[in-house]
Amino acid sequence: MYINYSDIPGHPNLFLDYLYEFENVEKFYGKNFRDEHEYNKLFDSLESYDRPHREKVTAIIKEQYRNIRASKLTLSNIEELNSKNTIAVVTGQQLGIFGGPLYTFYKTMTAVKLAAYLNDKYDNFHFVPVFWLEGDDHDFDEVRKINILDRDNSLKTLSYEDGLDDSVNRGSVGNIKFNDNLRNLLEELSSSLRDSEFKMTLMDLLKSFYQPEVTFLESFRNLMIRLFDEYGLVVLNPSDPEIKKILAPVFKKELSDYKEHTVSLVERSAELEEIYHAQVKVKPVNLFYIDENERLSIEPLDEGFRLKGRRKKFSYDDMIAQLEFAPERFSPNVLLRPICQDYLLPTGFYVAGPAEISYFAQLTPLYNYFEINSPYIYPRASATILENNVQSLLDKYQLKIEEVFSPKEDLIEKIIARNSGNNIDAVFEEAQGKINVILDELGKSLIVIDKNMLDLTEKTGTRINENLKYLKNKAADAERRKHEVTIRQINKMQNVLYPNENLQERELNFTYFANKYGLDILKWIFNELSINKFEHQILEL
């Protein structure tokens, strides 16, 4: 079953037009991911593009895998990256603890399945799925939390607490090492999940990767390799100092030409704002600098640069010297990251979610400045897992699943009204109308006696309406108490299908389903997930 994205709240118009009305946004993107007849032009261009660091990138990835027992398919794919006819199908994500929201896995599955589809269709090229680890990101609050459903089917947020003040700049999250507080999180997760035949296996898996003194990046990377290595997924750590050395020319060009880049990005963003919205606020320089373990924006001065929030200043020559001496101290922001990715890799496709698709509309001008081929931006698969017991509730209340994608209170009122002989809103609306008519007629009669009586009548009407509103609220509360079982079941249903009034894939962590059905649930999702419908998919379990 599939649902059009326009029927689900929260999707930006830019994303919807990208999917369904591409001619409206073609000037922002250039390449239409649906137009397969044009694919070969990019493939041929990527094959002929002189990529002198191709061999070096392959060697670095091999070194990153040196202590990993990878599958033959993955090792073959790493080797293939050294070939001129190899094209990368890339996706990436922040290092969310325990894998983050479900959509991280859906993005990964889309990249793997897209690469397989392309390998079947194009004999002259080899397509390799690559996962780009967003280790340079510094949003600690976003990566340390997961949502699950607990033993009572209540939505619960679990968070890793490192004991530091929230105002502390922790630098790149990929370098943060877990401390002993991680054990508290693992214990809380275990106690929150229902007992099942799969819980011990799941918890052992997480504990094998998530340990004190191990970094966010290492833990996330090893989990992704464990879950997707059999499909040949290549997990790339771009925070590697050796990778940063290769990226030094990109960083240098950004430092040298940031004014020109910024003008173009601001103009593009303004153009987007006239019709849609600009996803990312444009910064003067699209680079960060690591100083004393803090990741700080580089800001321009009349002469040189400074670090945001610091008094430390650099001349242009000093900054270039820093880049040549220690390129690992530099990292791209969200708008420059794709340029770095596609400078390193022969990227034919980037698998993106709605927000990423939106910000790609802003950054495409940068590809011309850096003389790099822009990839096709391929929408990731999107899905909601629908379990049998939840389907039974939908059937019981005669609900279509689309109706669940609405505010909880609206859904509860709709169900109660549908299953009750009384429509409280209608009853009180009718009563209010009758009272207003009576008061109006009364006012007309009393004004003949004394003009001041009209004002008194209006005040009396106001008090009556306030009492009527109070009575309506009491009646609604009584009606809700009468339907307590119904309300509990609706809460349970929405907690699974539309938690926090958001799509399941954006809120729930995979551990909830893996605990109920085992790790093989991921293989089931992989097999069921469609990557070419470009609508939200309902996976009936």
Side-chain angles (χ1 to χ4, degrees):
M1 178 182 175
Y2 299 91
I3 301 174
N4 191 291
Y5 284 106
S6 58
D7 294 328
I8 302 174
H11 288 101
N13 290 333
L14 178 59
F15 171 69
L16 296 176
D17 277 0
Y18 185 80
L19 291 183
Y20 306 126
E21 303 287 344
F22 187 78
E23 63 274 11
N24 294 340
V25 299
E26 185 173 8
K27 63 181 177 180
F28 300 124
Y29 294 96
K31 296 182 176 68
N32 184 353
F33 72 95
R34 291 181 183 270
D35 193 357
E36 294 193 21
H37 296 295
E38 295 293 312
Y39 284 4
N40 267 309
K41 290 182 180 179
L42 176 60
F43 299 164
D44 291 339
S45 180
L46 289 171
E47 185 178 29
S48 61
Y49 180 72
D50 183 22
R51 203 175 296 271
H53 53 262
R54 184 192 300 271
E55 186 175 344
K56 180 64 174 174
V57 170
T58 303
I60 293 170
I61 297 174
K62 285 182 179 179
E63 180 62 23
Q64 290 182 2
Y65 268 79
R66 184 164 57 90
N67 296 320
I68 300 292
R69 294 183 61 184
S71 67
K72 290 183 179 179
L73 180 55
T74 297
L75 296 176
S76 173
N77 279 340
I78 294 172
E79 196 65 50
E80 288 286 351
L81 285 172
N82 199 31
S83 302
K84 293 190 68 174
N85 68 338
T86 293
I87 293 172
V89 179
V90 185
T91 195
Q93 191 58 40
Q94 293 168 302
L95 312 177
I97 197 165
F98 306 150
L102 277 164
Y103 71 76
T104 299
F105 291 175
Y106 298 166
K107 288 176 77 175
T108 306
M109 293 176 185
T110 304
V112 169
K113 297 188 78 166
L114 177 59
Y117 166 79
L118 295 167
N119 277 320
D120 286 342
K121 187 167 183 178
Y122 297 93
D123 294 333
N124 295 332
F125 299 95
H126 187 79
F127 299 87
V128 173
V130 178
F131 191 97
W132 179 282
L133 296 166
E134 299 281 7
D136 279 334
D137 186 82
H138 60 267
D139 193 341
F140 176 68
D141 193 54
E142 189 166 346
V143 300
R144 65 170 169 165
K145 298 176 181 177
I146 63 165
N147 289 328
I148 61 165
L149 296 179
D150 65 13
R151 293 170 180 265
D152 300 320
N153 285 310
S154 297
L155 191 63
K156 186 173 184 178
T157 299
L158 305 180
S159 178
Y160 166 70
E161 306 293 339
D162 64 358
L164 300 179
D165 188 87
D166 287 343
S167 63
V168 172
N169 186 329
R170 295 168 173 82
S172 300
V173 296
N175 296 329
I176 298 174
K177 289 185 178 181
F178 291 104
N179 60 30
D180 286 340
N181 290 352
L182 177 63
R183 295 191 175 95
N184 298 333
L185 175 60
L186 288 164
E187 289 174 7
E188 187 178 10
L189 174 62
S190 181
S191 62
S192 298
L193 293 171
R194 289 186 174 185
D195 292 332
S196 75
E197 61 180 299
F198 307 110
K199 180 191 278 191
M200 183 178 294
T201 300
L202 172 63
M203 295 308 303
D204 286 346
L205 173 75
L206 295 178
K207 290 175 182 178
S208 68
F209 300 134
Y210 286 85
Q211 300 175 0
E213 297 304 313
V214 178
T215 66
F216 265 77
L217 188 143
E218 291 170 318
S219 300
F220 183 95
R221 171 177 177 264
N222 290 332
L223 177 65
M224 294 297 289
I225 290 174
R226 164 64 177 80
L227 297 178
F228 295 103
D229 178 65
E230 65 179 288
Y231 302 110
L233 180 71
V234 177
V235 180
L236 169 63
N237 173 18
S239 303
D240 190 318
E242 294 301 313
I243 290 288
K244 294 292 181 71
K245 288 180 183 178
I246 297 175
L247 290 174
V250 175
F251 299 157
K252 183 176 181 179
K253 184 172 180 58
E254 175 63 17
L255 290 170
S256 302
D257 301 341
Y258 71 87
K259 292 180 181 179
E260 189 177 5
H261 299 172
T262 300
V263 168
S264 184
L265 291 174
V266 168
E267 289 176 350
R268 169 58 62 84
S269 300
E271 190 178 4
L272 280 166
E273 286 288 356
E274 291 179 2
I275 312 170
Y276 302 105
H277 72 289
Q279 184 75 17
V280 179
K281 184 178 179 180
V282 176
K283 300 293 180 64
V285 181
N286 295 306
L287 283 172
F288 291 95
Y289 183 86
I290 306 297
D291 184 59
E292 297 179 4
N293 203 39
E294 293 188 10
R295 187 172 182 249
L296 304 168
S297 295
I298 298 174
E299 297 181 332
L301 298 171
D302 291 338
E303 297 290 336
F305 303 92
R306 70 176 181 187
L307 303 182
K308 185 176 181 179
R310 293 284 179 87
R311 295 181 179 179
K312 187 173 290 188
K313 299 178 181 180
F314 300 86
S315 69
Y316 173 79
D317 289 339
D318 287 340
M319 188 62 85
I320 297 301
Q322 286 291 321
L323 176 59
E324 292 175 353
F325 174 71
E328 67 275 9
R329 293 179 183 172
F330 293 78
S331 64
N333 72 359
V334 66
L335 294 178
L336 191 63
R337 183 205 57 75
I339 301 299
C340 294
Q341 164 196 291
D342 303 330
Y343 176 81
L344 281 175
L345 299 168
T347 310
F349 298 83
Y350 182 77
V351 175
E356 290 172 301
I357 287 173
S358 294
Y359 74 63
F360 260 96
Q362 285 178 263
L363 67 87
T364 48
L366 290 179
Y367 281 94
N368 291 328
Y369 288 117
F370 286 90
E371 299 180 344
I372 297 172
N373 283 304
S374 62
Y376 284 94
I377 310 304
Y378 199 88
R380 68 165 173 82
S382 174
T384 292
I385 299 171
L386 177 59
E387 300 168 272
N388 279 333
N389 60 328
V390 181
Q391 178 65 65
S392 298
L393 291 176
L394 291 174
D395 295 339
K396 177 179 179 180
Y397 296 111
Q398 300 177 320
L399 279 173
K400 295 180 180 178
I401 193 168
E402 298 95 314
E403 295 179 90
V404 179
F405 301 141
S406 60
K408 184 172 292 185
E409 289 304 312
D410 292 351
L411 185 62
I412 289 173
E413 287 183 17
K414 179 188 290 187
I415 298 299
I416 289 177
R418 186 181 292 175
N419 292 276
S420 171
N422 300 315
N423 187 330
I424 291 176
D425 285 336
V427 169
F428 277 86
E429 185 177 347
E430 182 181 359
Q432 181 106 46
K434 290 178 179 179
I435 290 172
N436 289 340
V437 170
I438 293 171
L439 288 171
D440 186 54
E441 293 176 352
L442 187 60
K444 290 177 181 177
S445 299
L446 294 178
I447 197 173
V448 176
I449 301 172
D450 186 339
K451 290 183 178 180
N452 292 327
M453 295 298 292
L454 180 60
D455 184 52
L456 185 59
T457 302
E458 290 176 351
K459 290 181 179 178
T460 301
T462 300
R463 287 195 296 272
I464 290 173
N465 287 334
E466 288 175 353
N467 288 329
L468 199 64
K469 184 178 179 180
Y470 175 79
L471 181 60
K472 178 183 175 182
N473 289 336
K474 287 295 183 182
D477 289 342
E479 185 77 16
R480 289 170 71 93
R481 286 195 297 273
K482 178 181 175 183
H483 295 279
E484 283 183 355
V485 173
T486 297
I487 293 171
R488 282 200 302 272
Q489 291 181 332
I490 292 171
N491 283 329
K492 173 185 175 182
M493 182 169 57
Q494 271 218 321
N495 283 342
V496 177
L497 297 179
Y498 202 54
N500 285 333
E501 297 183 5
N502 204 355
L503 286 176
Q504 178 192 89
E505 63 183 22
R506 303 196 67 83
E507 295 290 327
L508 295 187
N509 179 261
F510 90 102
T511 51
Y512 167 70
F513 291 105
N515 182 63
K516 290 184 72 173
Y517 303 102
L519 290 172
D520 282 348
I521 185 70
L522 295 177
K523 293 182 179 180
W524 177 82
I525 294 171
F526 182 88
N527 292 329
E528 294 291 319
L529 201 64
S530 173
I531 66 163
N532 58 5
K533 295 294 185 182
F534 312 115
E535 293 185 327
H536 187 71
Q537 186 174 357
I538 306 301
L539 303 177
E540 299 180 41
L541 183 59

